[in-house]
Coordinates of all heavy atoms in Angstrom, one line a residue:
L1121 N 9.4 -7.0 -20.4 CA 8.0 -7.0 -20.2 C 7.5 -8.5 -20.5 O 8.1 -9.2 -21.5 CB 7.5 -6.1 -21.3 CG 7.6 -4.5 -21.1 CD1 7.0 -3.8 -22.3 CD2 7.1 -4.2 -19.9
T1122 N 6.6 -8.8 -19.8 CA 6.0 -10.2 -20.1 C 4.5 -10.3 -20.1 O 3.9 -11.3 -20.4 CB 6.4 -11.1 -18.7 OG1 5.7 -10.7 -17.7 CG2 8.0 -11.2 -18.5
D1123 N 3.8 -9.1 -19.9 CA 2.5 -9.1 -19.9 C 2.1 -8.4 -21.2 O 2.1 -7.2 -21.4 CB 1.8 -8.3 -18.7 CG 0.4 -8.3 -18.7 OD1 -0.3 -8.4 -19.6 OD2 -0.1 -8.2 -17.4
I1124 N 1.6 -9.1 -22.3 CA 1.3 -8.7 -23.5 C 0.1 -7.7 -23.4 O 0.1 -6.5 -24.2 CB 0.9 -9.8 -24.6 CG1 2.2 -10.7 -24.8 CG2 0.4 -9.3 -25.9 CD1 1.9 -11.9 -25.6
G1125 N -0.8 -8.0 -22.6 CA -2.1 -7.2 -22.5 C -1.6 -5.7 -21.9 O -2.0 -4.7 -22.4
W1126 N -0.8 -5.7 -20.9 CA -0.2 -4.4 -20.4 C 0.4 -3.7 -21.4 O 0.4 -2.4 -21.6 CB 0.7 -4.8 -19.2 CG 1.0 -3.6 -18.3 CD1 0.3 -3.0 -17.2 CD2 2.0 -2.6 -18.6 NE1 0.9 -1.9 -16.8 CE2 2.1 -1.6 -17.5 CE3 3.1 -2.6 -19.5 CZ2 3.0 -0.6 -17.4 CZ3 4.1 -1.5 -19.5 CH2 4.0 -0.8 -18.4
A1127 N 1.3 -4.4 -22.1 CA 2.1 -3.7 -23.2 C 1.2 -3.1 -24.3 O 1.6 -2.1 -24.7 CB 3.1 -4.8 -23.9
K1128 N 0.2 -3.8 -24.6 CA -0.7 -3.3 -25.7 C -1.3 -2.0 -25.1 O -1.7 -1.1 -26.0 CB -1.9 -4.3 -26.0 CG -1.4 -5.5 -26.8 CD -2.6 -6.4 -27.0 CE -2.1 -7.5 -28.1 NZ -3.2 -8.6 -28.3
R1129 N -1.6 -1.9 -23.9 CA -2.4 -0.8 -23.3 C -1.4 0.4 -23.0 O -1.7 1.6 -23.2 CB -3.1 -1.1 -22.2 CG -4.0 0.0 -21.5 CD -5.0 -0.6 -20.4 NE -5.7 0.4 -19.9 CZ -6.7 0.3 -19.0 NH1 -7.0 -0.9 -18.6 NH2 -7.6 1.3 -18.7
Y1130 N -0.2 0.1 -22.5 CA 0.6 1.1 -21.9 C 2.1 1.2 -22.7 O 2.7 2.1 -22.3 CB 0.9 0.9 -20.4 CG -0.3 1.0 -19.6 CD1 -0.9 -0.2 -19.2 CD2 -1.1 2.1 -19.4 CE1 -2.0 -0.3 -18.3 CE2 -2.3 2.1 -18.7 CZ -2.7 1.0 -18.1 OH -3.9 1.0 -17.3
G1131 N 2.3 0.3 -23.4 CA 3.6 0.4 -24.1 C 4.7 0.1 -23.1 O 4.8 -1.0 -22.4
Y1132 N 5.6 1.0 -22.8 CA 6.6 1.1 -21.8 C 6.4 1.9 -20.6 O 7.0 2.2 -19.6 CB 8.0 1.4 -22.3 CG 8.6 0.2 -23.2 CD1 8.5 0.3 -24.6 CD2 9.3 -0.8 -22.5 CE1 8.9 -0.7 -25.3 CE2 9.8 -1.8 -23.4 CZ 9.7 -1.7 -24.8 OH 10.1 -2.8 -25.5
G1133 N 4.9 2.4 -20.5 CA 4.5 3.1 -19.5 C 4.7 4.8 -19.6 O 4.6 5.3 -18.6
S1134 N 5.1 5.2 -20.7 CA 5.5 6.6 -20.9 C 4.3 7.6 -20.5 O 4.5 8.5 -19.8 CB 5.9 7.0 -22.3 OG 7.0 6.3 -22.6
E1135 N 3.0 7.1 -20.8 CA 1.9 7.9 -20.4 C 1.6 7.7 -19.0 O 1.3 8.8 -18.4 CB 0.7 7.4 -21.3 CG -0.6 8.1 -21.1 CD -0.5 9.6 -21.3 OE1 0.1 10.0 -22.2 OE2 -1.2 10.3 -20.5
L1136 N 1.9 6.6 -18.4 CA 1.8 6.6 -17.0 C 2.7 7.6 -16.2 O 2.4 8.1 -15.2 CB 2.0 5.1 -16.5 CG 0.9 4.0 -17.0 CD1 1.3 2.7 -16.6 CD2 -0.4 4.4 -16.4
D1137 N 4.0 7.5 -16.7 CA 4.9 8.3 -16.2 C 4.4 9.9 -16.3 O 4.7 10.8 -15.4 CB 6.3 8.2 -16.8 CG 7.0 6.9 -16.5 OD1 6.4 6.4 -15.7 OD2 7.8 6.6 -17.5
R1138 N 3.9 10.2 -17.4 CA 3.5 11.6 -17.6 C 2.5 11.9 -16.6 O 2.3 13.1 -16.0 CB 3.0 11.9 -19.0 CG 4.2 12.0 -20.0 CD 3.7 12.4 -21.4 NE 3.0 11.5 -22.1 CZ 3.7 10.5 -22.9 NH1 4.9 10.5 -23.0 NH2 2.9 9.5 -23.5
R1139 N 1.5 11.1 -16.4 CA 0.4 11.2 -15.5 C 0.8 11.4 -14.1 O 0.4 12.3 -13.4 CB -0.6 10.0 -15.6 CG -1.4 9.9 -16.7 CD -2.3 8.7 -16.7 NE -3.0 8.3 -18.0 CZ -3.5 7.2 -18.1 NH1 -3.9 6.4 -17.1 NH2 -4.0 6.8 -19.3
A1140 N 1.9 10.6 -13.7 CA 2.4 10.6 -12.4 C 3.2 12.0 -12.1 O 2.9 12.6 -11.0 CB 3.4 9.5 -12.1
E1141 N 3.8 12.5 -13.2 CA 4.4 13.7 -13.0 C 3.5 14.8 -13.0 O 3.8 15.8 -12.2 CB 5.3 13.9 -14.3 CG 6.1 15.2 -14.3 CD 7.1 15.5 -13.1 OE1 7.4 14.5 -12.4 OE2 7.5 16.6 -13.0

Side-chain angles (χ1 to χ4, degrees):
L1121 295 178
T1122 63
D1123 187 331
I1124 297 174
W1126 190 93
K1128 286 181 177 178
R1129 185 169 184 178
Y1130 300 110
Y1132 286 95
S1134 296
E1135 179 58 33
L1136 293 173
D1137 292 340
R1138 286 189 287 270
R1139 291 181 197 172
E1141 178 64 10

